[in-house]
Amino acid sequence: MLKLPKIFSLLGLLLILIGSTACQAPSKNTIVDQTIPVDGETISATSAIGVAFKVPMGTDSVEDTFAISPEVDGTFAWEENTLWFEPKQAFTSGETYQVKINGELKDREGETIPVNLHWDFTIREPELVYYQLTGEWGEIWRATADGQNQRPLTETSGKVIDFAVDLTGSTIIFSVKNEVGGSDLWVMDRAGNDQRLLVKCDQDHCREPSWSRDQVQVAYTREIFNSDTGNIFPPQIWLLDINSGDTSQLPRENAALGHSPSFSTNGMKLAYYDIIDVGIRVIDLDTSQEFFYPTTISGSGDWSPDSTKIIFNDILPAEHEPFVEVFIADLNTQEITPAFGTTILDTEFSQPRWSPDDFWVAVALRPVNSGISKSLWALGLGSERQQLIADEPSATFSAYQWNPSGQQLAYQRLELGFSPSKISIWIWDWESGGSRQIIDNGGRPLWLP
């Protein structure tokens, strides 16, 4: 057997030791605690992207090295040691994205740390949840956006009153009539699993839940039972902490008497309809600053994508029949202006819905002194652009909702002249310009991103 000289044996041993030491060297990503989502996960089009670090970081150094492909416009926010990237518009369904953080980062102490991090995630196709009449009230059902794979998510013997989906489509909260005459708040995941009682309201009526942007809070309407009279007090706005289960009235000097609570898109403000002063009241949840916009039409309006405006209806007097106009309230300037540039006379508008791209409003309307049916339109903001979606003298349209990309509109069609009324869910598509029925005997559709 050929024997190596001792000098080469020692050199080989040294190289092995060096290689072993190199393999045990700290990774470049040792300061990264986790990515949100994890690598390879499928998420909703409305999810935020996060990176959690083990130590406090110099924010600029992290943000400067952050890149996402395909490129997406968005904003950064920090929550302790976690960087969040919030897309300004929804991610594209079916697309796979890659995020990279690659470079010399600095922690808050100024120490330079090399990081080479990358991970992928894919955007799932949005589905629909909807209401199907069953028994006294109804049940929540789910289906794909083409109406396939219809299945129930709840089995309450028809006692579901209303429901709301969180922004990421991961959790559904719903109100259920209970055995003592009130209604409780329940929660479940998007598949209908892990159903549990959130707020036991006994003889109080708890309903109209609305999720905060971070899915930590729920605002809801609570009508408290008066045991002395057997009646209920006027509705109040309450807040629920999802993590602790604590619930209480919306903190305010005077009780927040009203209904229809709605968090702003960024979660920083809460609007509701004030039944005492008769109008929409907006509260900044950080500063407690309040804004108020008078309107005799119930509801809290709809938020603009950037959370700086609210679009809502109000009644204007006329010589024969009052008409309903659409207005925009600017929270920065405190100006209230007609939504479409000038007042549109002799027309009754239903609740408008702001498109995710900030260019369009979906709204049902009819001329005054006409029948009860309303046609459905997409009307351009700041322009005279308009697109007819549906118009049938024998039907009216409501409960319209844009999908996360704004390329489709789900809506409810109610056929007139039948008892009981025939109700169905339809989808209108921007690209084709056409509508199609996807669900029979279903209503109040909400997108499940």
Side-chain angles (χ1 to χ4, degrees):
M1 178 181 292
L2 179 64
K3 294 186 178 180
L4 293 175
K6 184 177 292 187
I7 182 69
F8 288 109
S9 299
L10 291 175
L11 180 60
L13 179 61
L14 181 61
L15 289 173
I16 292 172
L17 291 173
I18 292 174
S20 175
T21 304
C23 291
Q24 296 173 11
S27 165
K28 288 186 177 182
N29 301 329
T30 52
I31 61 167
V32 176
D33 191 25
Q34 64 173 325
T35 64
I36 309 164
V38 299
D39 186 40
E41 188 175 352
T42 299
I43 63 172
S44 80
T46 50
S47 293
I49 307 304
V51 184
F53 293 92
K54 297 178 181 178
V55 297
M57 298 297 296
T59 57
D60 289 344
S61 69
V62 181
E63 294 173 16
D64 289 345
T65 58
F66 183 98
I68 185 168
S69 178
E71 189 174 348
V72 177
D73 190 16
T75 57
F76 293 114
W78 284 86
E79 183 181 6
E80 297 181 347
N81 295 345
T82 301
L83 170 69
W84 290 103
F85 174 79
E86 186 83 40
K88 288 188 176 179
Q89 293 189 17
F91 292 112
T92 301
S93 298
E95 184 75 72
T96 296
Y97 292 83
Q98 183 178 77
V99 179
K100 292 182 180 180
I101 298 180
N102 185 15
E104 301 289 329
L105 307 189
K106 290 187 177 181
D107 64 19
R108 199 171 295 173
E109 302 300 323
E111 181 180 350
T112 299
I113 306 167
V115 169
N116 183 12
L117 175 70
H118 60 86
W119 76 100
D120 297 341
F121 60 90
T122 301
I123 305 303
R124 63 179 172 237
E125 296 289 341
E127 298 191 7
L128 286 168
V129 288
Y130 59 97
Y131 195 72
Q132 189 171 91
L133 293 173
T134 306
E136 183 181 1
W137 291 95
E139 301 289 358
I140 303 172
W141 282 58
R142 174 180 169 183
T144 56
D146 58 2
Q148 300 300 307
N149 198 21
Q150 299 178 26
R151 66 275 195 197
L153 298 185
T154 58
E155 296 179 357
T156 66
S157 300
K159 295 179 181 179
V160 174
I161 298 172
D162 53 19
F163 57 96
V165 178
D166 77 351
L167 191 65
T168 66
S170 60
T171 313
I172 302 169
I173 189 170
F174 55 106
S175 175
V176 180
K177 188 173 179 63
N178 60 33
E179 299 299 325
V180 294
S183 54
D184 305 319
L185 293 180
W186 289 70
V187 71
M188 61 183 171
D189 68 18
R190 60 184 284 116
N193 299 323
D194 301 324
Q195 296 189 19
R196 60 187 174 91
L197 179 65
L198 269 183
V199 182
K200 190 175 185 296
C201 299
D202 295 321
Q203 291 178 286
D204 295 352
H205 294 242
C206 298
R207 55 189 178 85
E208 297 185 327
S210 175
W211 286 96
S212 65
R213 174 66 182 90
D214 57 8
Q215 298 98 52
V216 172
Q217 282 189 314
V218 168
Y220 66 97
T221 300
R222 186 165 189 149
E223 296 169 309
I224 298 176
F225 179 74
N226 186 339
S227 58
D228 294 332
T229 65
N231 297 319
I232 56 175
F233 287 106
Q236 302 176 0
I237 306 301
W238 282 52
L239 291 178
L240 165 68
D241 186 298
I242 291 294
N243 295 326
S244 68
D246 294 338
T247 184
S248 60
Q249 294 181 35
L250 176 68
R252 191 170 173 265
E253 184 176 350
N254 299 315
L257 297 179
H259 55 79
S260 306
S262 172
F263 281 98
S264 61
T265 311
N266 63 10
M268 305 296 290
K269 298 179 180 65
L270 179 69
Y272 68 93
Y273 189 79
D274 188 319
I275 62 174
I276 301 300
D277 293 328
V278 188
I280 299 171
R281 187 168 298 281
V282 180
I283 299 178
D284 188 306
L285 299 175
D286 282 340
T287 66
S288 298
Q289 183 181 7
E290 296 191 6
F291 311 89
F292 182 75
Y293 307 106
T295 174
T296 56
I297 295 183
S298 293
S300 56
D302 195 39
W303 288 95
S304 65
D306 64 2
S307 301
T308 63
K309 303 178 183 69
I310 287 181
I311 191 168
F312 65 97
N313 300 109
D314 197 9
I315 295 177
L316 296 181
E319 184 176 353
H320 299 292
E321 180 184 350
F323 59 94
V324 178
E325 178 59 295
V326 182
F327 295 94
I328 291 179
D330 190 312
L331 275 67
N332 292 330
T333 66
Q334 291 301 294
E335 292 181 332
I336 299 177
T337 56
F340 307 112
T342 59
T343 299
I344 301 177
L345 303 174
D346 300 324
T347 303
E348 179 182 322
F349 289 92
S350 294
Q351 171 64 59
R353 293 295 176 192
W354 219 308
S355 69
D357 62 9
D358 201 16
F359 295 143
W360 297 87
V361 169
V363 65
L365 59 89
R366 71 172 182 89
V368 297
N369 301 315
S370 67
I372 63 173
S373 66
K374 291 181 179 179
S375 55
L376 184 58
W377 293 77
L379 301 180
L381 287 170
S383 72
E384 296 182 355
R385 297 170 300 168
Q386 52 186 246
Q387 174 69 53
L388 178 63
I389 296 174
D391 184 17
E392 300 177 51
S394 62
T396 192
F397 310 96
S398 60
Y400 29 89
Q401 301 284 337
W402 296 99
N403 75 346
S405 69
Q407 295 302 304
Q408 290 184 323
L409 188 77
Y411 61 92
Q412 170 183 293
R413 178 186 181 272
L414 179 66
E415 192 164 353
L416 305 173
F418 289 88
S419 183
S421 299
K422 291 186 176 181
I423 190 171
S424 55
I425 296 175
W426 292 60
I427 294 286
W428 176 76
D429 184 79
W430 261 118
E431 185 175 353
S432 68
S435 293
R436 68 188 189 282
Q437 178 180 323
I438 62 166
I439 295 170
D440 190 25
N441 189 33
R444 290 157 47 181
L446 292 178
W447 289 96
L448 190 67

